[in-house]
């Protein structure tokens, strides 16, 4: 009887809806892990999903923590660029604010993904937002060309 109840519960809960933003984030974490593996790193994933570190990589006996972020396309006032929010969201869904990462949120590598374009950032600027691929904009890109590790050619 217990097994039957467990199977029924598992079947019911396996159909739980996943927020598309979380789904995209999960896919991009897997893309990042694949990239690190292709570069000769060992990849270690956590047992729990919530935390400032998405996974840990090792190469040449050096362990590094990795945080993966998804960049988003923005078209504003005639400017096209990608933006990547850093830090923590606070507040409610309707009224959110963003705070920069805190000292306890320390990680070694920020890995940013937009479609098939990847940026690897080791020295994270003290910012709430990073901007990439700017066109005619006054926003500061912070050396994105130095950070890019994979670029999709159209």
């Amino acid at each position: 009887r217990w097994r039957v109840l467990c199977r029924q519960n598992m079947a019911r809960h396996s159909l739980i809806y996943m927020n598309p933003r979380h789904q995209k984030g999960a896919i991009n974490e897997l893309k990042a892990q694949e990239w690190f593996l292709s570069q000769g790193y060992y990849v270690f994933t956590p047992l729990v999903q919530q935390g400032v570190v998405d996974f840990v990589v090792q190469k040449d006996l050096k362990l590094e923590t990795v945080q993966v972020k998804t960049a988003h396309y923005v078209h504003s006032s005639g400017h096209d660029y990608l933006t990547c929010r850093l830090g923590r969201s606070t507040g409610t869904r309707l009224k959110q604010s963003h705070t920069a990462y805190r000292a306890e949120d320390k990680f070694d590598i920020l890995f940013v993904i937009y479609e098939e374009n990847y940026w690897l950032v080791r020295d994270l600027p003290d910012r709430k937002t990073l901007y990439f691929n700017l066109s005619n904009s006054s926003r500061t890109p912070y050396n994105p060309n130095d950070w890019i590790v994979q670029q999709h050619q159209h």
Side-chain angles (χ1 to χ4, degrees), residues 136-154:
N136 305 323
S137 175
S138 61
R139 298 190 185 274
T140 307
Y142 310 110
N143 284 338
N145 291 335
D146 292 344
W147 298 340
I148 197 157
V149 291
Q150 178 175 310
Q151 187 168 19
H152 178 67
Q153 303 297 325
H154 294 284

Side-chain angles (χ1 to χ4, degrees), residues 12-71:
R12 185 174 30 210
H13 291 295
S14 66
L15 300 176
I16 293 175
Y17 170 79
M18 185 175 192
N19 181 319
R21 288 184 71 180
H22 295 197
Q23 189 175 37
K24 184 172 227 168
I27 289 168
N28 283 342
E29 284 181 28
L30 292 172
K31 284 181 176 181
Q33 290 173 15
E34 178 185 41
W35 184 86
F36 279 98
L37 287 168
S38 75
Q39 301 302 307
Y41 287 83
Y42 291 100
V43 175
F44 304 94
T45 57
L47 292 175
V48 294
Q49 291 299 314
Q50 298 303 315
V52 72
V53 174
D54 290 319
F55 55 90
V56 175
V57 295
Q58 178 192 1
K59 187 172 187 179
D60 301 327
L61 301 177
K62 182 178 181 184
L63 289 171
E64 296 179 285
T65 55
V66 180
Q67 171 65 33
V68 179
K69 288 290 186 181
T70 301

